[in-house]
Amino acid sequence: FHSLFSEKDSLQTREDRIRSLIRRFAKSGDFWELCDLEEEFYVSRTTLESDLKEIKSRITDHQPFLKMERKGTLIRFEEDEIKRRNILIHLYCENWDYDSREGVMLREDGIESDVLEQIRLMVKDILKKYKIALDDFGLIYMTMAIAVCYVRILEDKPLYLKDVEYSCEDLCPKAAVRELLDGLSEAWELSVEEGEAAWLSNILDQLSILNFHRKSIEEVQAKTHPACSQALGTVLLEIREHCG
């Protein structure tokens, strides 16, 4: 069995293990014992260390720059709820089942399909009401962000205003998110902290910034990281050099 599960093309590939480990570390703030992980995933210490090195490359050395903490044979991600949520959203977006004939669902357990469908329908109605346009990616990302919000509240990991500030200055995304959360919190019978509204408003504002709206350079730069402008300048320069 150890040989079978260690094969790259086995039922559980290296990518499966890496994604499973990332999800586990992101959801739990506990330290994990390497020996327990070896036994659970049927891999050697060398293989596990190789997987952890790849995780560090994806999570620590690149966005969202979440540190991996180690104490001897114990390991976990640092306590940063917003960065942990960022990881979970991307994992769920990557695992979205686009071919499902049963509506919105994930390819694996994690968030109930009826919850996702409830969120999707309400998001669609609210965006239409407030005339906020999102492309397909933006709609999926917003749905997953709300789903992660729901899961983290259930896991007693809510966001408070001390954890996140409103960077969104537009009143429209704020009002849309507030109405959306009021409806969902009533349906879920959960109390939703104001920090959740701030976090989701910021996300909605960023997702809608370039969707079907004419914006000046100054308006865009006011809402994006300076590195975006630097990257764009580099790309345009290379295009001019190669293409004229």
Side-chain angles (χ1 to χ4, degrees):
F1 276 112
H2 184 279
S3 176
L4 173 66
F5 281 100
S6 295
E7 289 293 327
K8 182 178 181 181
D9 295 325
S10 70
L11 296 176
Q12 183 172 354
T13 66
R14 182 177 189 236
E15 185 61 28
D16 291 333
R17 288 198 310 272
I18 289 174
R19 288 171 59 84
S20 180
L21 286 168
I22 290 175
R23 186 168 57 252
R24 179 173 304 194
F25 293 159
K27 286 177 68 68
S28 172
D30 297 334
F31 276 98
W32 295 88
E33 173 62 59
L34 295 185
C35 292
D36 295 336
L37 296 176
E38 289 172 34
E39 291 185 9
E40 181 175 346
F41 290 93
Y42 297 98
V43 294
S44 65
R45 177 62 59 88
T46 301
T47 300
L48 180 60
E49 289 289 356
S50 176
D51 291 346
L52 294 175
K53 184 177 180 181
E54 175 62 23
I55 292 173
K56 182 177 181 294
S57 173
R58 297 184 190 185
I59 303 301
T60 304
D61 300 337
H62 296 88
Q63 190 76 12
F65 306 110
L66 186 64
K67 294 179 181 178
M68 185 180 287
E69 300 177 345
R70 295 190 64 162
K71 293 182 179 179
T73 59
L74 299 174
I75 189 167
R76 72 167 184 175
F77 285 159
E78 69 172 322
E79 290 288 354
D80 189 317
E81 178 61 18
I82 292 179
K83 289 183 179 181
R84 285 171 178 261
R85 290 185 179 205
N86 177 280
I87 292 170
L88 291 171
I89 292 171
H90 280 275
L91 283 175
Y92 288 136
C93 283
E94 290 172 2
N95 211 37
W96 184 278
D97 191 349
Y98 293 91
D99 300 320
S100 171
R101 295 183 180 181
E102 301 175 1
V104 183
M105 63 183 298
L106 296 174
R107 292 192 183 93
E108 60 191 42
D109 292 335
I111 304 175
E112 300 90 339
S113 59
D114 58 336
V115 172
L116 283 173
E117 181 66 10
Q118 183 184 48
I119 293 171
R120 186 188 71 85
L121 292 175
M122 195 168 291
V123 166
K124 185 178 179 181
D125 290 342
I126 292 295
L127 293 181
K128 183 177 181 180
K129 176 180 178 179
Y130 284 87
K131 298 180 180 180
I132 299 175
L134 296 182
D135 58 17
D136 289 343
F137 170 79
L139 186 60
I140 293 171
Y141 194 95
M142 191 66 196
T143 301
M144 287 296 115
I146 297 169
V148 167
C149 165
Y150 167 73
V151 169
R152 296 305 277 172
I153 291 174
L154 289 181
E155 294 172 344
D156 197 25
K157 296 289 184 179
L159 282 175
Y160 301 98
L161 274 179
K162 64 181 180 62
D163 304 313
V164 56
E165 296 180 1
Y166 280 102
S167 62
C168 169
E169 298 180 357
D170 192 338
L171 296 180
C172 188
K174 289 183 180 179
V177 166
R178 186 69 270 168
E179 184 172 339
L180 180 63
L181 287 181
D182 286 344
L184 288 173
S185 61
E186 182 177 349
W188 295 337
E189 298 182 349
L190 288 175
S191 175
V192 180
E193 297 291 338
E194 186 65 21
E196 304 287 358
W199 178 63
L200 290 171
S201 296
N202 296 342
I203 290 176
L204 180 57
D205 188 42
Q206 292 169 356
L207 289 174
S208 63
I209 180 175
L210 295 178
N211 282 280
F212 319 116
H213 298 288
R214 294 183 64 84
K215 299 277 187 180
S216 68
I217 293 177
E218 290 73 22
E219 287 176 312
V220 174
Q221 289 178 332
K223 295 185 177 183
T224 55
H225 194 282
C228 296
S229 295
Q230 297 169 9
L232 176 61
T234 301
V235 171
L236 290 176
L237 182 61
E238 291 182 0
I239 290 175
R240 291 192 188 100
E241 291 177 348
H242 286 85
C243 306

